[in-house]
Amino acid sequence: MTWRADVLTIFPSMFPGPLGESLAGKAMEAGSWSLKVTDIRDFGLGRHRSVDDTPFGGGAGMVLRPDVLDAAIGSVADGAVADERPLIVLTPRGAPLTQKRVRELAEGPGVILLCGRFEGIDQRVIDARQAEEVSIGDYILSGGEIASLVLLDAAIRLLPGVMGAADSAVEESFSAPLLEYPHYTRPAVWAERAVPETLTSGNHAAIAAWRLEAARQTTKTRRPDLYNQYIASGALAP
Ligand code: ADE
């Protein structure tokens, strides 16, 4: 079955963008997923197809109008027609996107993504449509479009049959929540730097132990939050 993505944006030409290439592009050609992009401006008001207005209460920037957005959302997910897909608004105010949520989305029928722009989106349409507000990280992008591409990329690679090396996803969940160990390939010595000896030993148990230890140490230094989760999950202390 095809995983269906709808994107609502005022910059439709930003899609599929990078998702037309590589893994996601091939998966789209193969019919593993489909993308429909809706230009919010098609639902804009008046001669100028206006989509935004100044914020009540004052302040900088413009806010996307609820009536315009609701019409755009209705065109892809009419309340009368059952659409099982979650409506997700990409915004820095959202709950942080996690691999767990990405996995859930990939296992479902698809997503409807609403890209915010300007200062924001009128909260009433978010509430009325029971949209899920999602952020891809603690930094501010100029809009939700790139965040949508990130969410889609993360989900698409998990769709059945999409990932080239089928093992990759299994290994990822196996090593969670640790960061990955470092990778090496030929030449065995490059710029006077040798590959860690264990990796060329052919001793699979020793290699597995080396990788686990490398993953632990990297996680401990870079992401103490993940490391504490790892320890709490019952893993042996260092
Ligand atoms: N729009 C602007 N910044 C964003 C972020 N960090 N995540 C999701 N959408 C955004």
Side-chain angles (χ1 to χ4, degrees):
M1 220 189 46
T2 301
W3 194 83
R4 290 193 309 130
D6 265 276
V7 176
L8 306 165
T9 171
I10 57 167
F11 293 110
S13 64
M14 289 176 75
F15 296 87
L19 300 179
E21 307 281 337
S22 188
L23 202 74
K26 285 189 195 116
M28 176 149 43
E29 274 173 32
S32 300
W33 74 290
S34 69
L35 174 65
K36 196 174 105 221
V37 182
T38 297
D39 188 349
I40 292 168
R41 204 164 287 282
D42 290 347
F43 301 87
L45 305 173
R47 207 158 52 85
H48 297 292
R49 299 219 157 277
S50 176
V51 296
D52 59 342
D53 211 326
T54 53
F56 279 123
M62 302 289 273
V63 178
L64 289 166
R65 293 176 55 117
D67 46 359
V68 171
L69 291 177
D70 191 64
I73 295 165
S75 77
V76 304
D78 196 319
V81 180
D83 193 321
E84 298 295 305
R85 296 174 296 166
L87 171 64
I88 295 177
V89 179
L90 285 307
T91 161
R93 293 186 66 233
L97 183 63
T98 60
Q99 187 65 16
K100 175 169 174 278
R101 185 67 186 123
V102 169
R103 223 177 283 122
E104 288 166 2
L105 292 173
E107 282 164 8
V111 285
I112 302 170
L113 304 178
L114 173 58
C115 304
R117 274 273 154 181
F118 314 113
E119 278 313 292
I121 292 177
D122 188 301
Q123 189 62 36
R124 290 168 295 178
V125 71
I126 296 174
D127 297 342
R129 289 282 185 176
Q130 295 178 24
E132 175 183 345
E133 294 177 83
V134 167
S135 163
I136 64 157
D138 291 340
Y139 37 79
I140 314 291
L141 305 169
S142 53
E145 284 77 9
I146 292 173
S148 286
L149 292 170
V150 168
L151 184 152
L152 290 173
D153 183 272
I156 290 159
R157 63 188 284 281
L158 299 183
L159 297 177
V162 171
M163 205 155 357
D167 289 352
S168 304
V170 177
E171 198 166 312
E172 274 165 21
S173 57
F174 178 72
S175 59
L178 292 179
L179 300 177
E180 270 214 4
Y181 53 80
H183 303 276
Y184 300 90
T185 186
R186 276 178 282 276
V189 180
W190 171 78
E192 292 170 33
R193 292 164 186 267
V195 164
E197 209 178 298
T198 310
L199 299 182
T200 55
S201 69
N203 180 339
H204 296 296
I207 292 169
W210 184 92
R211 285 178 166 167
L212 177 59
E213 188 48 26
R216 277 185 181 164
Q217 287 313 317
T218 307
T219 309
K220 196 175 175 183
T221 347
R222 295 184 186 171
R223 293 291 303 276
D225 56 323
L226 293 182
Y227 189 73
N228 289 337
Q229 266 183 48
Y230 168 72
I231 295 300
S233 76
L236 243 50

